[in-house]
Amino acid sequence: MKTHKIAIIGGGLSDLYTAYLLEQHGISDYLLIESNSSLGGRILTEKVENNMGTSMFDLGPTWFWPGYQPQFSQLINKLNLTRFAQFDSGKMVLERSPNEQPIIMQGYTGEPQSMRLKGGMGALIDALEMRINHENITFNEKVSRVEKQTGSIEITCESGQIIHAEHIFLALPPRLLSQNIEFIPALPKKTLKQWEATPTWMAPHAKYVAVFETPFWREKGLSGDARSARGPMVEIHDASSEGGMAALFGFVGVPANVRKDLDDATLKLHCRAQLERLFGPEIPEPKYEFLKDWSQDSNTATALDLIGSGSHGIAPEAFINSGEWQDRVIGVASEWSRQYPGLLAGAIEAAGLGVQSYISKQKKD
């Protein structure tokens, strides 16, 4: 029976960056356990291929801010990824109430500047995946139980597969871990309480993307930005692919516990109607439409997230400092980040601190 030095539970950005850092430090004896058939987690980039080439559109996180996320920005440079500024030039549309007509007003530019990646955030996942050993990844395995035994930790998957490791890096959101994985012996009550109280970023949200051949709003002097008190989208932005097709995306403001009773086709219909209302009835039909309701994704959200506000939480403690699990478990998902909880930069910070802590302790031992 082989026992890995490290098991990484999850397959999103923090998991991949953890694996990347371990290999950078010469540590190759790890296993990344992913419940899906592909990597990425809450980074989800849809691809459209046509005569204009390949266009990519993010249904998960879209932006980063080099002005106050230097570590993340340095990683983008190190991986030779191309960045570009979020388009925000021109006027914006404002819908003040359900009973008022939309108005056009002076837009504003973000400060610090929001940046995007050419190829979408999926390009970051692809770049990291290329730099780690694929033999160290197991797909379609959802962990259901983690049991501390003499000399190792036994990890049980829903399929029945058993994996053994000396240490575990937890790259799933804390609340998801507390709901879906049984720990034997039980976690300290303080730890479990913190995990359950930590909101999962993206979990209550839904995102709609409408793809067009040209950015017709720019021809009208509009930035693509819109705010609406009527909905269903409360906030809309330009999501055009760099060098590809044009697009608008919006955050759906209908609460998650209400959306669960709406089918995707109905919600898309209302989103299209809103775009006509805001940008004019003469707008073309979208060539493609995408909708991702993260609250309905069992690998992201729990029942608690259906009633959440979607705000960033306070980071729980990343290490268990007492009891049976002391020095055996490290939290590295973005929710464990002190500076950027839930954000992409948070995944990089949390993973970096987790690996650094592990290596320091190994040197002492």
Side-chain angles (χ1 to χ4, degrees):
M1 177 188 69
K2 178 176 174 54
T3 299
H4 299 277
K5 282 188 176 295
I6 296 170
I8 308 171
I9 300 178
L13 177 57
S14 57
D15 320 68
L16 277 169
Y17 190 60
T18 296
Y20 170 79
L21 288 177
L22 290 173
E23 295 204 9
Q24 293 286 299
H25 284 89
I27 301 172
S28 58
D29 186 10
Y30 68 86
L31 183 67
L32 195 162
I33 308 168
E34 166 56 33
S35 62
N36 291 313
S37 58
S38 60
L39 301 171
R42 284 169 280 178
I43 291 179
L44 176 60
T45 303
E46 292 285 356
K47 178 190 294 186
V48 171
E49 293 182 338
N50 59 10
N51 56 6
M52 295 181 68
T54 300
S55 301
M56 309 295 286
F57 304 100
D58 287 316
L59 287 171
T62 300
W63 299 309
F64 67 102
W65 296 269
Y68 74 97
Q69 296 174 342
Q71 186 182 11
F72 187 83
S73 184
Q74 290 164 12
L75 175 63
I76 297 303
N77 291 338
K78 187 173 184 179
L79 297 176
N80 296 314
L81 298 175
T82 302
R83 66 183 72 191
F84 65 98
Q86 168 67 31
F87 183 83
D88 56 14
S89 300
K91 296 183 177 181
M92 67 177 293
V93 183
L94 179 63
E95 198 169 37
R96 296 180 186 274
S97 78
N99 301 317
E100 295 182 29
Q101 291 295 314
I103 63 171
I104 295 176
M105 59 179 290
Q106 184 60 46
Y108 57 89
T109 56
E111 183 61 41
Q113 177 70 59
S114 301
M115 302 297 292
R116 294 169 56 196
L117 287 184
K118 185 175 183 179
M121 282 299 165
L124 173 57
I125 297 298
D126 293 342
L128 288 171
E129 187 177 355
M130 287 173 56
R131 289 166 171 80
I132 66 173
N133 186 350
H134 276 224
E135 293 182 358
N136 290 359
I137 306 173
T138 181
F139 291 98
N140 300 309
E141 291 291 356
K142 192 168 186 176
V143 175
S144 58
R145 187 178 67 190
V146 174
E147 182 175 354
K148 185 176 180 294
Q149 300 180 335
T150 302
S152 71
I153 301 169
E154 184 176 270
I155 302 165
T156 303
C157 301
E158 288 184 354
S159 67
Q161 181 180 176
I162 303 293
I163 298 165
H164 287 86
E166 295 176 5
H167 295 82
I168 295 179
F169 284 76
L170 298 171
L172 291 175
R175 180 175 284 174
L176 204 65
L177 288 166
S178 71
Q179 297 288 309
N180 294 349
I181 298 181
E182 178 186 12
F183 284 78
I184 303 174
L187 294 165
K189 290 183 179 179
K190 178 183 176 182
T191 297
L192 189 60
K193 186 176 180 179
Q194 283 186 344
W195 287 10
E196 291 175 340
T198 304
T200 300
W201 183 239
M202 295 295 294
H205 296 293
K207 190 172 178 180
Y208 168 80
V209 177
V211 181
F212 305 91
E213 287 188 347
T214 61
F216 60 85
W217 52 96
R218 298 185 189 181
E219 298 165 3
K220 297 180 177 182
L222 301 175
S223 64
D225 287 350
R227 303 293 185 276
S228 174
R230 180 176 174 182
M233 294 179 285
V234 294
E235 184 180 330
I236 296 171
H237 299 278
D238 187 308
S240 301
S241 179
E242 181 76 346
M245 297 189 75
L248 293 168
F249 88 84
F251 296 106
V252 177
V254 180
N257 59 348
V258 176
R259 289 200 312 270
K260 65 183 177 61
D261 296 322
L262 293 174
D263 59 80
D264 286 359
T266 299
L267 191 49
K268 286 180 181 179
L269 179 65
H270 286 291
C271 288
R272 287 199 303 273
Q274 183 180 10
L275 292 181
E276 291 182 13
R277 198 172 68 237
L278 295 175
F279 295 99
E282 73 282 0
I283 71 169
E285 283 285 321
K287 294 295 181 181
Y288 305 92
E289 288 179 290
F290 302 104
L291 176 67
K292 175 62 178 180
D293 189 340
W294 291 97
S295 71
Q296 300 303 309
D297 188 327
S298 62
N299 289 321
T300 301
T302 69
L304 288 173
D305 296 304
L306 294 179
I307 57 175
S309 64
S311 60
H312 292 285
I314 298 173
E317 295 176 5
F319 308 95
I320 297 177
N321 297 315
S322 63
E324 294 283 343
W325 291 105
Q326 183 174 356
D327 297 330
R328 290 299 188 97
V329 173
I330 303 174
V332 295
S334 60
E335 280 74 17
W336 270 288
S337 166
R338 295 290 177 181
Q339 292 190 81
Y340 321 106
L343 298 178
L344 296 172
I348 300 305
E349 180 192 37
L353 291 174
V355 172
Q356 181 182 11
S357 173
Y358 172 81
I359 292 173
S360 296
K361 188 176 185 308
Q362 295 304 301
K363 287 180 179 179
K364 289 180 183 179
D365 292 346

